Amino acid sequence: MNNKGFAISGILYGILLLFIMILLSLLYALVTRLDRLTTLVEEVNQSVENTNSKDINQTIDTSNYYITEYRGKYEITLNGNTCYAYLPKDTLLKINGSQINYSLPDEEGNIDPTNDENLNSLSLINCTNNSVNTFNIAKVYTSIS
């Protein structure tokens, strides 16, 4: 009786089982990492949202600008929708080209509201940053008291 086919099948099935075990362990590691990242994001959101909120209620249009006083989650009302943006302290917000743009201070900490070269489009949560004429900064959620 010839047992060569049985030996080759045993080796191939062993390699297949090893491959499946490695693949399952990689998938388990990815799922565990995703769960941990989700938990960390929720903890950060809770720590920012549940500490201090400060009312701002300032309307910005094309003729003025706003410089953030706190690091935190800013609540912005735009076209009747409530949007959010995470911003550091001393960030310049202004409307340029029908979008809300931001600029960070330079290395010395200076902010130039007249310089439009370093403006970047602001990413908003729950809103699109298109066709903006005015927006209202309602409040900020911050961990700084």
Side-chain angles (χ1 to χ4, degrees):
M1 188 162 165
N2 189 354
N3 289 331
K4 289 181 184 177
F6 178 73
I8 292 175
S9 295
I11 292 171
L12 289 177
Y13 281 119
I15 291 172
L16 178 66
L17 285 174
L18 184 64
F19 176 74
I20 290 173
M21 288 175 46
I22 290 171
L23 184 67
L24 288 176
S25 65
L26 287 174
L27 289 175
Y28 177 74
L30 289 174
V31 167
T32 305
R33 180 176 180 261
L34 179 65
D35 289 343
R36 181 64 184 143
L37 286 175
T38 304
T39 304
L40 286 173
V41 166
E42 289 173 0
E43 288 174 3
V44 167
N45 281 336
Q46 290 291 13
S47 68
V48 169
E49 290 179 6
N50 291 336
T51 53
N52 298 319
S53 70
K54 303 192 183 311
D55 292 327
I56 297 173
N57 290 325
Q58 183 167 352
T59 301
I60 308 299
D61 57 19
T62 55
S63 65
N64 60 357
Y65 59 90
Y66 179 76
I67 297 176
T68 59
E69 300 174 35
Y70 305 99
R71 170 186 49 90
K73 180 180 178 181
Y74 281 79
E75 182 178 308
I76 298 171
T77 306
L78 178 63
N79 299 329
N81 297 325
T82 302
C83 313
Y84 300 98
Y86 290 95
L87 298 169
K89 184 179 179 187
D90 297 329
T91 301
L92 171 73
L93 294 176
K94 68 186 289 187
I95 297 175
N96 188 22
S98 297
Q99 287 187 337
I100 303 173
N101 292 309
Y102 73 95
S103 177
L104 299 173
D106 59 13
E107 290 82 19
E108 292 85 31
N110 299 325
I111 302 170
D112 185 10
T114 60
N115 185 5
D116 291 342
E117 292 179 13
N118 297 327
L119 291 177
N120 298 308
S121 179
L122 183 65
S123 296
L124 297 171
I125 301 169
N126 296 339
C127 290
T128 59
N129 192 1
N130 296 339
S131 303
V132 178
N133 294 329
T134 66
F135 67 96
N136 183 41
I137 301 174
K139 63 173 69 172
V140 59
Y141 300 96
T142 181
S143 58
I144 300 170
S145 52

Short mmCIF file of all heavy atoms in Angstrom, two decimals, residues 90-120:
data_model
loop_
_atom_site.label_atom_id
_atom_site.label_comp_id
_atom_site.label_asym_id
_atom_site.label_seq_id
_atom_site.Cartn_x
_atom_site.Cartn_y
_atom_site.Cartn_z
N ASP A 90 -6.09 79.32 21.44
CA ASP A 90 -5.51 80.34 20.56
C ASP A 90 -5.58 79.96 19.08
O ASP A 90 -4.66 80.23 18.32
CB ASP A 90 -4.05 80.64 20.95
CG ASP A 90 -3.94 81.22 22.34
OD1 ASP A 90 -4.89 81.91 22.76
OD2 ASP A 90 -2.91 81.00 22.99
N THR A 91 -6.69 79.37 18.67
CA THR A 91 -6.91 79.07 17.26
C THR A 91 -7.80 80.15 16.66
O THR A 91 -8.82 80.51 17.23
CB THR A 91 -7.59 77.69 17.11
OG1 THR A 91 -6.77 76.71 17.70
CG2 THR A 91 -7.81 77.36 15.65
N LEU A 92 -7.40 80.68 15.53
CA LEU A 92 -8.17 81.70 14.84
C LEU A 92 -9.24 81.03 13.97
O LEU A 92 -8.93 80.14 13.18
CB LEU A 92 -7.25 82.54 13.95
CG LEU A 92 -7.91 83.52 13.00
CD1 LEU A 92 -8.47 84.70 13.78
CD2 LEU A 92 -6.94 83.98 11.95
N LEU A 93 -10.50 81.45 14.12
CA LEU A 93 -11.60 80.96 13.30
C LEU A 93 -12.15 82.14 12.51
O LEU A 93 -12.45 83.19 13.07
CB LEU A 93 -12.71 80.37 14.15
CG LEU A 93 -12.40 79.10 14.94
CD1 LEU A 93 -13.57 78.71 15.80
CD2 LEU A 93 -12.02 77.98 14.01
N LYS A 94 -12.29 81.96 11.21
CA LYS A 94 -12.89 83.00 10.38
C LYS A 94 -13.45 82.37 9.12
O LYS A 94 -13.11 81.24 8.77
CB LYS A 94 -11.88 84.10 10.06
CG LYS A 94 -10.74 83.69 9.15
CD LYS A 94 -9.68 84.75 8.98
CE LYS A 94 -10.14 85.90 8.15
NZ LYS A 94 -9.07 86.87 7.84
N ILE A 95 -14.32 83.12 8.47
CA ILE A 95 -14.92 82.65 7.21
C ILE A 95 -14.08 83.21 6.07
O ILE A 95 -13.82 84.39 5.99
CB ILE A 95 -16.38 83.12 7.09
CG1 ILE A 95 -17.22 82.51 8.20
CG2 ILE A 95 -16.94 82.74 5.73
CD1 ILE A 95 -18.65 83.00 8.23
N ASN A 96 -13.67 82.30 5.20
CA ASN A 96 -12.88 82.69 4.04
C ASN A 96 -13.27 81.76 2.89
O ASN A 96 -13.16 80.54 3.01
CB ASN A 96 -11.39 82.59 4.34
CG ASN A 96 -10.54 83.17 3.22
OD1 ASN A 96 -11.01 83.98 2.45
ND2 ASN A 96 -9.30 82.73 3.14
N GLY A 97 -13.74 82.31 1.80
CA GLY A 97 -14.13 81.49 0.65
C GLY A 97 -15.34 80.62 0.92
O GLY A 97 -15.38 79.48 0.50
N SER A 98 -16.32 81.13 1.65
CA SER A 98 -17.57 80.42 1.99
C SER A 98 -17.33 79.16 2.82
O SER A 98 -18.11 78.23 2.77
CB SER A 98 -18.36 80.06 0.73
OG SER A 98 -18.75 81.23 0.06
N GLN A 99 -16.24 79.12 3.56
CA GLN A 99 -15.95 78.02 4.47
C GLN A 99 -15.42 78.57 5.78
O GLN A 99 -14.84 79.66 5.81
CB GLN A 99 -14.89 77.07 3.90
CG GLN A 99 -15.35 76.21 2.78
CD GLN A 99 -14.28 75.19 2.40
OE1 GLN A 99 -13.10 75.39 2.66
NE2 GLN A 99 -14.69 74.09 1.80
N ILE A 100 -15.63 77.79 6.84
CA ILE A 100 -15.01 78.14 8.12
C ILE A 100 -13.57 77.64 8.05
O ILE A 100 -13.32 76.47 7.80
CB ILE A 100 -15.75 77.49 9.30
CG1 ILE A 100 -17.21 77.89 9.32
CG2 ILE A 100 -15.07 77.88 10.61
CD1 ILE A 100 -18.03 77.16 10.35
N ASN A 101 -12.64 78.55 8.27
CA ASN A 101 -11.22 78.22 8.23
C ASN A 101 -10.60 78.49 9.59
O ASN A 101 -11.12 79.28 10.37
CB ASN A 101 -10.50 79.03 7.16
CG ASN A 101 -10.92 78.63 5.77
OD1 ASN A 101 -10.92 77.46 5.43
ND2 ASN A 101 -11.32 79.59 4.96
N TYR A 102 -9.49 77.83 9.83
CA TYR A 102 -8.77 78.03 11.08
C TYR A 102 -7.29 78.25 10.79
O TYR A 102 -6.78 77.86 9.75
CB TYR A 102 -8.96 76.85 12.03
CG TYR A 102 -8.19 75.61 11.62
CD1 TYR A 102 -6.93 75.35 12.15
CD2 TYR A 102 -8.71 74.71 10.71
CE1 TYR A 102 -6.22 74.23 11.77
CE2 TYR A 102 -8.02 73.58 10.33
CZ TYR A 102 -6.77 73.36 10.86
OH TYR A 102 -6.07 72.25 10.48
N SER A 103 -6.64 78.87 11.77
CA SER A 103 -5.21 79.08 11.69
C SER A 103 -4.63 78.96 13.09
O SER A 103 -5.20 79.50 14.04
CB SER A 103 -4.89 80.45 11.09
OG SER A 103 -3.49 80.66 11.08
N LEU A 104 -3.53 78.26 13.21
CA LEU A 104 -2.86 78.11 14.50
C LEU A 104 -1.82 79.21 14.65
O LEU A 104 -1.32 79.75 13.67
CB LEU A 104 -2.20 76.73 14.59
CG LEU A 104 -3.15 75.54 14.48
CD1 LEU A 104 -2.36 74.25 14.42
CD2 LEU A 104 -4.11 75.52 15.64
N PRO A 105 -1.46 79.55 15.88
CA PRO A 105 -0.43 80.57 16.07
C PRO A 105 0.93 80.10 15.57
O PRO A 105 1.19 78.90 15.47
CB PRO A 105 -0.42 80.81 17.58
CG PRO A 105 -1.18 79.70 18.18
CD PRO A 105 -2.01 79.07 17.14
N ASP A 106 1.81 81.06 15.27
CA ASP A 106 3.16 80.70 14.81
C ASP A 106 4.02 80.27 16.01
O ASP A 106 3.53 80.13 17.12
CB ASP A 106 3.79 81.85 14.04
CG ASP A 106 3.91 83.13 14.87
OD1 ASP A 106 3.73 83.08 16.09
OD2 ASP A 106 4.19 84.19 14.27
N GLU A 107 5.30 80.05 15.77
CA GLU A 107 6.20 79.53 16.82
C GLU A 107 6.31 80.47 18.02
O GLU A 107 6.53 80.03 19.15
CB GLU A 107 7.61 79.28 16.25
CG GLU A 107 7.70 78.11 15.30
CD GLU A 107 7.26 78.50 13.89
OE1 GLU A 107 7.23 79.71 13.56
OE2 GLU A 107 6.91 77.59 13.12
N GLU A 108 6.15 81.77 17.78
CA GLU A 108 6.24 82.74 18.88
C GLU A 108 4.90 82.91 19.59
O GLU A 108 4.81 83.66 20.56
CB GLU A 108 6.72 84.11 18.36
CG GLU A 108 8.15 84.13 17.89
CD GLU A 108 8.29 83.67 16.44
OE1 GLU A 108 7.34 83.89 15.65
OE2 GLU A 108 9.33 83.09 16.12
N GLY A 109 3.83 82.28 19.09
CA GLY A 109 2.52 82.40 19.69
C GLY A 109 1.70 83.54 19.15
O GLY A 109 0.66 83.89 19.71
N ASN A 110 2.13 84.13 18.03
CA ASN A 110 1.42 85.27 17.45
C ASN A 110 0.35 84.78 16.47
O ASN A 110 0.55 83.81 15.75
CB ASN A 110 2.39 86.19 16.71
CG ASN A 110 3.43 86.76 17.65
OD1 ASN A 110 3.15 87.04 18.81
ND2 ASN A 110 4.65 86.91 17.15
N ILE A 111 -0.77 85.51 16.46
CA ILE A 111 -1.86 85.21 15.54
C ILE A 111 -2.12 86.46 14.71
O ILE A 111 -2.29 87.55 15.26
CB ILE A 111 -3.14 84.84 16.32
CG1 ILE A 111 -2.88 83.64 17.22
CG2 ILE A 111 -4.28 84.54 15.36
CD1 ILE A 111 -4.01 83.36 18.18
N ASP A 112 -2.12 86.30 13.39
CA ASP A 112 -2.37 87.43 12.49
C ASP A 112 -3.70 87.20 11.78
O ASP A 112 -3.78 86.41 10.84
CB ASP A 112 -1.24 87.56 11.48
CG ASP A 112 -1.38 88.78 10.59
OD1 ASP A 112 -2.26 89.62 10.88
OD2 ASP A 112 -0.62 88.88 9.62
N PRO A 113 -4.78 87.87 12.23
CA PRO A 113 -6.09 87.66 11.59
C PRO A 113 -6.18 88.18 10.16
O PRO A 113 -7.07 87.80 9.42
CB PRO A 113 -7.06 88.43 12.48
CG PRO A 113 -6.29 88.94 13.63
CD PRO A 113 -4.85 88.74 13.37
N THR A 114 -5.26 89.03 9.76
CA THR A 114 -5.32 89.57 8.40
C THR A 114 -4.60 88.67 7.39
O THR A 114 -4.79 88.84 6.19
CB THR A 114 -4.68 90.97 8.36
OG1 THR A 114 -3.31 90.88 8.77
CG2 THR A 114 -5.43 91.93 9.27
N ASN A 115 -3.80 87.72 7.85
CA ASN A 115 -3.05 86.84 6.95
C ASN A 115 -3.91 85.63 6.60
O ASN A 115 -4.23 84.82 7.44
CB ASN A 115 -1.75 86.40 7.63
CG ASN A 115 -0.87 85.59 6.70
OD1 ASN A 115 -1.16 85.42 5.53
ND2 ASN A 115 0.23 85.09 7.25
N ASP A 116 -4.28 85.52 5.33
CA ASP A 116 -5.10 84.40 4.87
C ASP A 116 -4.29 83.28 4.24
O ASP A 116 -4.86 82.33 3.71
CB ASP A 116 -6.15 84.90 3.86
CG ASP A 116 -7.20 85.78 4.51
OD1 ASP A 116 -7.32 85.72 5.75
OD2 ASP A 116 -7.89 86.51 3.79
N GLU A 117 -2.97 83.35 4.30
CA GLU A 117 -2.13 82.34 3.66
C GLU A 117 -2.11 81.02 4.43
O GLU A 117 -2.03 79.96 3.84
CB GLU A 117 -0.70 82.86 3.52
CG GLU A 117 -0.57 83.99 2.54
CD GLU A 117 0.87 84.49 2.46
OE1 GLU A 117 1.76 83.80 2.97
OE2 GLU A 117 1.08 85.56 1.89
N ASN A 118 -2.17 81.06 5.75
CA ASN A 118 -2.04 79.85 6.56
C ASN A 118 -3.38 79.29 7.00
O ASN A 118 -3.44 78.51 7.95
CB ASN A 118 -1.17 80.14 7.79
CG ASN A 118 0.24 80.52 7.41
OD1 ASN A 118 0.76 80.03 6.42
ND2 ASN A 118 0.84 81.40 8.18
N LEU A 119 -4.47 79.66 6.34
CA LEU A 119 -5.79 79.17 6.71
C LEU A 119 -6.03 77.77 6.16
O LEU A 119 -5.68 77.47 5.03
CB LEU A 119 -6.87 80.12 6.21
CG LEU A 119 -6.93 81.49 6.87
CD1 LEU A 119 -7.99 82.34 6.21
CD2 LEU A 119 -7.20 81.36 8.35
N ASN A 120 -6.64 76.93 7.00
CA ASN A 120 -7.02 75.58 6.61
C ASN A 120 -8.51 75.41 6.83
O ASN A 120 -9.08 76.02 7.74
CB ASN A 120 -6.26 74.54 7.46
CG ASN A 120 -4.78 74.64 7.28
OD1 ASN A 120 -4.29 74.62 6.16
ND2 ASN A 120 -4.06 74.77 8.37
#
